[in-house]
Amino acid sequence: YKEPDRTGEPVLSVKQTFVDMVKVLADWKFMAFIVIFAGFDLMFWQLYLSMPLYITRHISETAPMAFIVAINPGMIILFQMPVAWAVRKMKPLSTMALGMGISTVAMLMLGFMPTLAGVCFSIAIFAIGEMTFAPRFLDYVSSMAPSGKVGLYLGYSYMRSFFANLIGGPLSGLLVARYIPETGLREPFKMWFIFAGIGLAALAALFFYNRFIGEKEEEK
């Protein structure tokens, strides 16, 4: 490894570094963008928060969970490059909207297909949405960052996971207890439709973001 030439790059003090970290939170365009995509992450984390209990309580107590959990990362390992190539000519925000839309459809499919095969197929579809969305998300965030602050903005972009779990964790517990109780009537489709509704709301917010902010940024 050879350290790259950093001649001419500004050297920031510790104080200035912390000041910049606070300033990022005041960038309302960036923060609005992050909050919108917290809706995607909220759906994503349900694969690990709500899904296991949904499968073991409602479908099969002996389901091969190790295999099911591996579907999402396995799909990404196998198909990330082909999916990225397929959407390479689309605009970033359009690509992200497509990815979020595909993942929202996967949430709906979980409600319509309450079988083990349906679960596996829905997770695979969700992974396609994730593969469509994720690379362009980081690409777009880096384009929003001021000069010399790309790394800072990319780091803060994962605040979407913080917001998603802050809301999605407690919401998962409430919906699982209400619609997939250990005993009594179970209506899991209502839970998945609620998560899909959150995805649709995020898509609508992204439409307005693109209409009033994104298009102007792309013109610049």
Side-chain angles (χ1 to χ4, degrees):
Y1 173 77
K2 183 179 180 181
E3 184 71 20
D5 182 12
R6 302 187 184 279
T7 304
E9 291 188 9
V11 178
L12 299 178
S13 64
V14 174
K15 178 181 177 180
Q16 185 59 47
T17 299
F18 279 100
V19 169
D20 288 344
M21 290 172 65
V22 174
K23 284 183 177 179
V24 173
L25 301 177
D27 186 342
W28 68 271
K29 293 180 181 179
F30 174 69
M31 293 306 298
F33 184 77
I34 294 304
V35 169
I36 289 171
F37 282 99
F40 173 88
D41 268 33
L42 190 149
M43 292 191 295
F44 168 78
W45 286 110
Q46 300 316 309
L47 302 182
Y48 303 97
L49 293 172
S50 303
M51 184 75 71
L53 285 173
Y54 166 63
I55 293 173
T56 56
R57 286 185 183 180
H58 189 67
I59 297 177
S60 172
E61 294 182 357
T62 59
M65 294 302 297
F67 169 77
I68 295 171
V69 170
I71 292 175
N72 181 272
M75 286 285 295
I76 293 172
I77 290 169
L78 294 174
F79 300 111
Q80 178 63 81
M81 293 299 289
V83 170
W85 181 86
V87 299
R88 69 193 186 283
K89 294 184 179 180
M90 293 179 63
K91 292 182 178 180
L93 287 175
S94 299
T95 307
M96 288 183 279
L98 175 62
M100 190 182 292
I102 293 172
S103 296
T104 300
V105 169
M107 291 286 109
L108 291 172
M109 290 171 58
L110 283 167
F112 285 120
M113 303 170 66
T115 63
L116 196 57
V119 167
C120 295
F121 185 61
S122 298
I123 293 175
I125 296 300
F126 191 98
I128 294 174
E130 184 182 353
M131 287 183 276
T132 303
F133 152 81
R136 302 311 293 272
F137 174 84
L138 295 175
D139 180 40
Y140 192 81
V141 168
S142 64
S143 71
M144 297 175 73
S147 177
K149 297 181 181 179
V150 173
L152 180 64
Y153 271 64
L154 287 175
Y156 268 75
S157 69
Y158 287 95
M159 284 184 68
R160 73 180 199 271
S161 292
F162 166 74
F163 292 134
N165 281 289
L166 190 67
I167 298 172
L171 180 61
S172 170
L174 290 172
L175 295 181
V176 166
R178 174 66 179 85
Y179 296 117
I180 321 176
E182 293 188 44
T183 58
L185 177 65
R186 292 172 182 159
E187 300 174 301
F189 64 92
K190 291 184 178 180
M191 178 181 73
W192 296 120
F193 290 172
I194 289 172
F195 289 131
I198 292 172
L200 288 173
L203 266 175
L206 180 60
F207 171 80
F208 286 104
Y209 179 93
N210 183 46
R211 179 67 181 84
F212 297 105
I213 298 175
E215 290 180 355
K216 295 179 180 179
E217 293 298 318
E218 287 180 356
E219 289 175 0
K220 292 180 183 178

